[in-house]
Amino acid sequence: MTTRSETQSTLDHLLTEIELRNPAQPEFHQAAHEVLETLAPVVAARPEYAESGLIERLVEPERQVMFRVPWQDDQGRVRVNRGFRVEFNSALGPYKGGLRFHPSVNLGVIKFLGFEQIFKNALTGLGIGGGKGGSDFDPHGRSDAEVMRFCQSFMTELYRHIGEHTDVPAGDIGVGGREIGYLFGQYRRITNRWESGVLTGKGQGWGGSLIRPEATGYGNVLFAAAMLRERGEDLEGQTAVVSGSGNVAIYTIEKLTALGANAVTCSDSSGYVVDEKGIDLDLLKQIKEVERGRVDAYAERRGASARFVPGGSVWDVPADLALPSATQNELDENAAATLVRNGVKAVSEGANMPTTPEAVHLLQKAGVAFGPGKAANAGGVAVSALEMAQNHARTSWTAARVEEELADIMTSIHTTCHETAERYDAPGDYVTGANIAGFERVADAMLAQGVI
Ligand code: GLU
């Protein structure tokens, strides 16, 4: 019988290998560390995982595609971006995961996101593998026509790698309904197929699922509520700080408000807004979704209850709950210390890996309930899988039905993580629970399917 410490040293050795084999990919190293650091108990208990080279296979993407994306701006100048699709693991189903358009995108970022997606998708209990893609294209300040030409060029290469039974992209940062529309149009034109299940996050009326736009934010609030329930509390009357002002943040605020909490902040890269009366969602949606503007405009138009803090950290605002919903590593150790000092009870990740490892450690040590993104924000991809199911059946479900399924999935993810953590002597540790439960499901499928 292998001991946990022997297993841990094997995993540490593998982590060193990962760093050597994948140089200059700090986000991918971070994501791999975060998972492999928690797997020793399960690998020690099930030696067949180590014997089959399973973890070495798991950290190596099945396929990685990088391509040139040339397009013309409105002045007729040729621009060149880089496109990516990392097809990480298809043991449980077609590769599934979003596309991110942001200047910070590079191969390491897409690999970290794809790696996270494997476990997240496994936790949903649905038949979806893990993948992720995107580009270093920056949609900010670009006209609709430029975004369309970019999306068409991007899809002109991507189409040959995807398909409803192969790989099903969706949105992420910088990719919303508008971009999915242009991408789907070009896919349909090139392939001459109405293959609605090839992309998710589509518009209502042409294959999109009701509640998909809301799903990540709604799901995260349901996960936070489940963590609070474990401690004998609920959301009613709690003050919440939310970062970001994109799709995830907006629907996080919407659900928090609906369940009686007071969501007082939102942010973007220019700074944050704090609104004592609670964020006015109609105004925020108008500014972000219709005008595609910045959050300072919110404070200008909202009146006395709101102020804009340029360049500040949203985590300085005292609150019972924190829901980071912007981007990776946005909540560091200092921010975590401030949250703890201000009495935060729960932190639940709407974004992917928004909390640094040091901050996670500090929060857990202080007894704060911490919901890792691969569990807490899985509602988005879960409803994407429900969109695929509707597309395959050529039907569409009511909003009430999708919302009910989403609530069931989030409850079941919470229970799975909670019980798995207890089973492996880490009660209340949702990071360990999520990593081990997600890993077991993928690992068992990989074992059954042989060395491929
Ligand atoms: N980008 C989202 C995520 O991080 C959703 C992916 C999807 O719907 O496929 O999970």
Side-chain angles (χ1 to χ4, degrees):
M1 177 88 188
T2 335
T3 64
R4 280 190 190 185
S5 64
E6 281 165 357
T7 309
Q8 191 57 61
S9 74
T10 312
L11 292 172
D12 289 345
H13 181 73
L14 183 56
L15 279 167
T16 312
E17 288 265 296
I18 291 169
E19 285 174 18
L20 289 171
R21 274 168 70 81
N22 304 278
Q25 297 182 354
E27 293 86 359
F28 176 55
H29 302 165
Q30 185 182 334
H33 264 269
E34 195 263 344
V35 172
L36 267 54
E37 267 163 12
T38 58
L39 294 186
V42 65
V43 178
R46 302 269 310 271
E48 65 270 31
Y49 290 147
E51 283 155 17
S52 59
L54 193 135
I55 303 175
E56 288 85 343
R57 286 188 281 140
L58 191 59
V59 296
E60 187 69 24
E62 289 175 14
R63 189 175 300 106
Q64 306 180 57
V65 189
M66 279 174 71
F67 50 96
R68 179 173 70 203
V69 189
W71 56 284
Q72 267 183 307
D73 68 19
D74 285 345
Q75 284 67 49
R77 193 173 142 199
V78 174
R79 306 267 180 168
V80 179
N81 284 99
R82 194 170 279 176
F84 303 88
R85 188 71 186 166
V86 172
E87 299 180 333
F88 225 120
N89 193 296
S90 59
L92 295 176
Y95 309 104
K96 183 82 196 85
L99 298 170
R100 176 176 291 191
F101 292 171
H102 191 270
S104 64
V105 162
N106 56 41
L107 184 60
V109 167
I110 298 298
K111 280 175 67 182
F112 119 63
L113 291 163
F115 189 66
E116 289 281 297
Q117 202 82 43
I118 302 171
F119 304 95
K120 180 193 316 199
N121 294 4
L123 282 172
T124 66
L126 304 166
I128 39 178
K132 203 86 184 191
S135 173
D136 57 1
F137 172 71
D138 186 359
H140 263 121
R142 291 287 166 204
S143 68
D144 277 354
E146 288 176 319
V147 170
M148 183 179 76
R149 287 195 293 276
F150 175 81
C151 288
Q152 290 175 340
S153 179
F154 185 85
M155 184 53 85
T156 301
E157 172 58 34
L158 186 70
Y159 88 94
R160 69 188 88 246
H161 307 290
I162 63 176
E164 61 183 342
H165 301 296
T166 312
D167 183 357
V168 182
D172 195 82
I173 294 172
V175 178
R178 172 182 62 169
E179 290 75 17
I180 294 294
Y182 296 147
L183 291 164
F184 185 77
Q186 185 73 351
Y187 182 85
R188 184 169 63 74
R189 180 190 196 189
I190 294 174
T191 59
N192 192 30
R193 279 166 68 88
W194 181 272
E195 192 184 328
S196 53
V198 69
L199 288 170
T200 61
K202 299 180 293 295
Q204 273 171 47
W206 50 277
S209 174
L210 290 165
I211 307 297
R212 176 62 191 89
E214 293 87 346
T216 311
Y218 280 17
N220 188 25
V221 175
L222 296 176
F223 194 88
M227 291 198 297
L228 286 176
R229 226 171 7 254
E230 274 306 314
R231 304 177 162 220
E233 295 206 48
D234 62 23
L235 284 169
E236 185 73 44
Q238 311 271 13
T239 300
V241 282
V242 178
S243 62
S245 50
N247 168 270
V248 179
I250 286 175
Y251 293 104
T252 298
I253 294 169
E254 186 163 289
K255 197 59 163 181
L256 283 166
T257 313
L259 296 179
N262 191 25
V264 292
T265 62
C266 61
S267 67
D268 62 22
S269 54
S270 67
Y272 72 90
V273 163
V274 54
D275 185 338
E276 286 152 28
K277 283 199 196 152
I279 297 290
D280 175 341
L281 260 187
D282 289 340
L283 179 58
L284 184 61
K285 282 183 186 171
Q286 169 67 24
I287 289 167
K288 296 303 296 190
E289 292 180 344
V290 182
E291 299 168 22
R292 296 184 188 275
R294 314 290 290 169
V295 293
D296 57 344
Y298 174 95
E300 263 166 43
R301 275 144 73 175
R302 172 71 162 154
S305 70
R307 74 196 156 85
F308 173 66
V309 183
S313 163
V314 72
W315 315 120
D316 290 340
V317 178
D320 303 305
L321 311 171
L323 297 105
S325 309
T327 194
Q328 64 266 18
N329 294 328
E330 55 164 310
L331 199 169
D332 64 11
E333 205 175 1
N334 286 336
T338 308
L339 287 171
V340 169
R341 241 189 342 268
N342 288 334
V344 77
K345 298 171 190 167
V347 175
S348 203
E349 295 187 320
N352 290 312
M353 210 171 73
T355 318
T356 65
E358 299 77 21
V360 174
H361 187 66
L362 191 149
L363 292 166
Q364 289 187 319
K365 239 177 105 191
V368 176
F370 178 78
K374 59 172 82 66
N377 73 38
V381 77
V383 173
S384 275
L386 303 183
E387 181 170 324
M388 289 161 70
Q390 293 168 72
N391 295 155
H392 288 286
R394 295 193 187 279
T395 186
S396 58
W397 302 345
T398 63
R401 172 162 178 198
V402 180
E403 224 182 314
E404 207 174 296
E405 299 244 5
L406 170 64
D408 287 349
I409 292 167
M410 295 315 298
T411 306
S412 136
I413 294 175
H414 175 268
T415 308
T416 303
C417 295
H418 195 262
E419 289 179 357
T420 307
E422 293 208 326
R423 192 150 46 92
Y424 285 96
D425 306 324
D429 177 353
Y430 291 96
V431 174
T432 296
N435 287 344
I436 293 185
F439 169 78
E440 281 181 323
R441 187 164 177 239
V442 182
D444 289 342
M446 287 175 71
L447 273 184
Q449 293 171 30
V451 177
I452 51 165

